[in-house]
C-alpha cells in the first residue's frame, strides 16, 4: 500500500495534509481526492460569484501525482423585461 497526501487549495489559502492515507491503488487515491473535493465544496460553498477549489495529491516522496479542481462561477443574466 502507498501513502498519499491530499492538499486543499482555495482563494483563502491552503491546507496541507501532514498525515496522508494508505491506499492499495492510484485509482483509490483518485476516488478519495474527488470525495474530498466534493465534501469541502459542500462545506465551504461561498456566497460570491467566483470560487475555485483544488485538491492536489502527493505521493510519499512528495511528487504531485493527481489534481482535481472545481470552479464555481455565478451571476445574474441581463434583465430582458
Amino acid at each position: 500500500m502507498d501513502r498519499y497526501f491530499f492538499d486543499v487549495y482555495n482563494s483563502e489559502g491552503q491546507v496541507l495534509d501532514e498525515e496522508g492515507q494508505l491506499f492499495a491503488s492510484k485509482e483509490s487515491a483518485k476516488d478519495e481526492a474527488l470525495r474530498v473535493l466534493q465534501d469541502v465544496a459542500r462545506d465551504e460553498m461561498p456566497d460570491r460569484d467566483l470560487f475555485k477549489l483544488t485538491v492536489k495529491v502527493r505521493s510519499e516522496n512528495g511528487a504531485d501525482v493527481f489534481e482535481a479542481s472545481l470552479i464555481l462561477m455565478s451571476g445574474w443574466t441581463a434583465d430582458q423585461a
Side-chain angles (χ1 to χ4, degrees):
M1 295 188 93
D2 294 316
R3 183 171 299 276
Y4 294 92
F5 299 84
F6 301 84
D7 302 328
V8 178
Y9 299 82
N10 65 24
S11 57
E12 297 175 5
Q14 63 186 12
V15 177
L16 300 179
D17 180 359
E18 300 295 334
E19 296 179 23
Q21 297 179 51
L22 294 173
F23 291 94
S25 70
K26 292 189 308 185
E27 284 300 311
S28 295
K30 178 191 112 175
D31 291 345
E32 177 66 7
L34 296 176
R35 187 196 64 75
V36 167
L37 185 65
Q38 292 171 15
D39 287 351
V40 173
R42 183 175 31 257
D43 292 343
E44 296 184 10
M45 194 56 67
D47 59 354
R48 53 187 174 257
D49 295 336
L50 178 62
F51 181 73
K52 181 176 180 182
L53 179 64
T54 300
V55 175
K56 293 183 180 181
V57 181
R58 289 180 285 123
S59 64
E60 283 186 277
N61 67 7
D64 289 334
V65 294
F66 182 79
E67 181 176 321
S69 293
L70 178 65
I71 299 172
L72 170 69
M73 296 179 3
S74 65
W76 294 100
T77 57
D79 187 357
Q80 300 297 320

